[in-house]
Amino acid sequence: MNKVKQNSDIRKFSWNMIGSMSNALASFVLLTMVTRMNGSSDGGIFSLAFSTAQMLTSIGCFETRAIQVTDVKKNLEFKDYFTFRVATSLIMVLSLIIYITVSKKSDVAAVMFFICLYKAIDCISDSFQGLFQLENRIDLSGMALGIRVILSTIFFGITLGLFHDLVFSAITMCVVEVVFIFFFDYRLSKRYEKCRLEICWDKWKELFKQCFPLFIGSFMLSYMVNASRYAIDAHMSNEIQNYYGFLLMPAFVINLFSLFGFRPMLTPMAHYWEQKNKKEFLKIIKKSIVWILILTVGAVIGAYLLGIWFLNLISGLDLGAYRIELVIVMLGGSMNAIITIFYYVLTVMRKQMLVLAGYAVGFVFALVVPFLFVRAYGLTGAVVSYVIPMMTTVVVFGIFIMYNMKRTSWE
């Protein structure tokens, strides 16, 4: 029996790792493909389009995943989460259309639209992954994410290599994702709950109430991460945008590996909170923070010694002048990973308004700092202004968590 459980745990960890790593690497691999096959200018366009779509993903997902996988009492059914997610994904695409119209970005409109559509389909698939995770099948969640991302990335690369057309390649990714969701996500979901579109306004109202502060906070975080890109878009060239895109990519490493260990513990942490088990609840938080610190030390050393060499090798660019900037980026990645952990802790506590307040503080810095720093210090200013808002958010989240821990009555 122990051997069976051990094999099951290994399978769950392995597929979760594959899914998380594939998703985190996707933007990096896609940007490398575009830069190598279509040149640095198209790489800059793709980087801006992808980061914009990533920011709008906060609308599509509306942070329902955090509520869904910690809904251990199953107050809402899967059809409620799924239908709500389809609606928010449609709003996500509509939001991009409004943004393109207002900003008059006609030169990149088509690329932005189909990359955004690709990410909107991602959001719909994520609701199935939330179902699998809640049913303690995080292996299926990781499998769905990993295979889908790998297939769409491969077909994007093949299409781009044949036609060198960003728009057509993005359309190909969308088609691959829709087909995969039908033949994998939808069919597997029927083992656990019926998947159908059904609007229940009372349940939507409750879900909206729980998720809205998290959604606003997530949107603010997405802007914090991408604010420097928009500052570069305003003051510098597409080529510099591409340089910055490659420098920023390694930051995902720390967040990626921190989630390997933390994501499977999210639902158990929700159980510990419901049971008022302070010892086990704190143990998960402490282990997660220690793990992130260890990853940060390794990532900073690796970035300083080998990071530039590796980025130059795969991108074909010369980033030799930005070694220190890359190290600073890794520190920003560490801050982002801690924010993710603290965000989930506050969500489990159902302190969504505190999540919103913490993100709001960092967001205010992100509105001002990047444009000032990029104008004054160029690419170096962009890197520094990537870190400052997130560092501020970490401090505020930490204060909120300690305050709520003290106020809680533990058994």
Side-chain angles (χ1 to χ4, degrees):
M1 182 64 73
N2 288 337
K3 188 174 182 180
V4 172
K5 184 179 184 301
Q6 185 180 27
N7 289 338
S8 176
D9 290 342
I10 292 172
R11 184 180 69 249
K12 289 177 181 179
F13 177 82
S14 299
W15 275 114
N16 177 52
M17 181 177 69
I18 292 169
S20 299
M21 184 172 289
S22 300
N23 192 45
L25 282 170
S27 58
F28 185 78
V29 173
L30 291 169
L31 178 59
T32 302
M33 287 179 178
V34 175
T35 301
R36 284 288 190 177
M37 296 180 189
N38 280 29
S40 187
S41 181
D42 267 9
I45 291 171
F46 178 84
S47 180
L48 182 63
F50 198 92
S51 62
T52 301
Q54 189 67 42
M55 185 172 71
L56 291 174
T57 297
S58 58
I59 298 175
C61 288
F62 211 78
E63 292 307 292
T64 55
R65 175 76 177 266
I67 300 298
Q68 184 182 5
V69 301
T70 57
D71 185 9
V72 292
K73 295 181 179 179
K74 296 193 175 181
N75 296 315
L76 297 176
E77 298 178 62
F78 174 63
K79 62 181 177 63
D80 300 315
Y81 289 108
F82 177 73
T83 309
F84 188 81
R85 186 70 72 89
V86 171
T88 55
S89 297
L90 291 173
I91 294 171
M92 169 186 171
V93 176
L94 178 61
S95 299
L96 178 77
I97 294 172
I98 294 172
Y99 169 74
I100 290 173
T101 303
V102 172
S103 62
K104 299 179 180 179
K105 289 187 175 295
S106 57
D107 55 331
V108 295
V111 177
M112 275 193 172
F113 176 81
F114 286 106
I115 294 295
C116 180
L117 183 60
Y118 162 72
K119 296 302 292 182
I121 299 169
D122 261 358
C123 293
I124 295 172
S125 178
D126 184 70
S127 63
F128 289 104
Q129 293 160 39
L131 169 64
F132 300 146
Q133 185 175 352
L134 184 62
E135 296 294 337
N136 198 31
R137 292 303 306 271
I138 200 168
D139 54 324
L140 292 181
S141 178
M143 188 185 300
L145 177 61
I147 297 175
R148 176 172 52 79
V149 169
I150 290 170
L151 284 176
S152 60
T153 302
I154 289 173
F155 275 89
F156 176 89
I158 292 172
T159 308
L160 189 68
L162 291 174
F163 302 102
H164 298 279
D165 189 321
L166 278 179
V167 175
F168 187 46
S169 301
I171 293 173
T172 303
M173 283 201 299
C174 295
V175 173
V176 170
E177 288 219 321
V178 170
V179 172
F180 182 83
I181 289 172
F182 177 77
F183 284 102
F184 189 94
D185 292 343
Y186 172 70
R187 293 194 173 188
L188 279 181
S189 70
K190 292 190 286 188
R191 297 181 185 178
Y192 305 103
E193 289 193 43
K194 291 182 179 179
C195 172
R196 63 180 185 272
L197 293 172
E198 182 180 309
I199 297 175
C200 181
W201 292 110
D202 289 340
K203 292 183 178 180
W204 273 29
K205 181 180 178 181
E206 178 60 28
L207 189 55
F208 182 88
K209 181 180 177 181
Q210 291 192 52
C211 295
F212 185 71
L214 300 179
F215 151 67
I216 295 296
S218 175
F219 188 85
M220 289 177 177
L221 177 62
S222 295
Y223 183 80
M224 279 189 265
V225 172
N226 292 301
S228 295
R229 293 183 189 270
Y230 295 112
I232 290 174
D233 185 50
H235 298 292
M236 306 182 82
S237 65
N238 283 332
E239 286 75 12
I240 296 298
Q241 185 76 259
N242 196 33
Y243 275 45
Y244 181 71
F246 274 102
L247 286 173
L248 201 61
M249 287 298 179
F252 77 85
V253 171
I254 300 172
N255 203 24
L256 169 66
F257 282 94
S258 68
L259 287 176
F260 284 168
F262 181 74
R263 184 168 284 161
M265 295 189 289
L266 183 54
T267 301
M269 186 169 70
H271 281 289
Y272 293 140
W273 178 256
E274 288 290 333
Q275 297 163 5
K276 303 297 182 183
N277 189 336
K278 182 178 181 180
K279 180 180 178 182
E280 295 300 324
F281 186 79
L282 281 175
K283 186 183 292 185
I284 291 176
I285 299 174
K286 289 176 181 177
K287 282 184 177 180
S288 300
I289 298 301
V290 170
W291 178 231
I292 289 173
L293 294 177
I294 292 171
L295 290 172
T296 301
V297 173
V300 166
I301 294 173
Y304 185 81
L305 296 178
L306 300 172
I308 295 297
W309 168 80
F310 178 73
L311 291 178
N312 286 346
L313 179 67
I314 63 172
S315 69
L317 303 173
D318 182 8
L319 300 168
Y322 303 111
R323 187 183 302 274
I324 299 301
E325 284 79 0
L326 181 60
V327 170
I328 296 172
V329 162
M330 302 312 292
L331 295 176
S334 176
M335 294 297 103
N336 198 4
I338 295 174
I339 285 174
T340 302
I341 302 299
F342 284 177
Y343 158 83
Y344 280 119
V345 172
L346 288 168
T347 301
V348 167
M349 292 177 171
R350 292 299 188 256
K351 298 295 182 182
Q352 291 96 318
M353 293 306 296
L354 293 183
V355 171
L356 178 58
Y359 280 138
V361 174
F363 181 72
V364 170
F365 278 86
L367 285 174
V368 179
V369 172
F371 289 90
L372 294 177
F373 277 44
V374 168
R375 189 181 303 155
Y377 306 108
L379 191 57
T380 302
V383 169
V384 173
S385 60
Y386 165 72
V387 178
I388 292 174
M390 289 191 289
M391 187 179 297
T392 306
T393 305
V394 166
V395 173
V396 176
F397 273 2
I399 293 171
F400 287 160
I401 290 172
M402 289 188 290
Y403 175 73
N404 279 284
M405 293 293 291
K406 289 181 179 179
R407 290 192 61 190
T408 301
S409 298
W410 302 93
E411 292 184 355

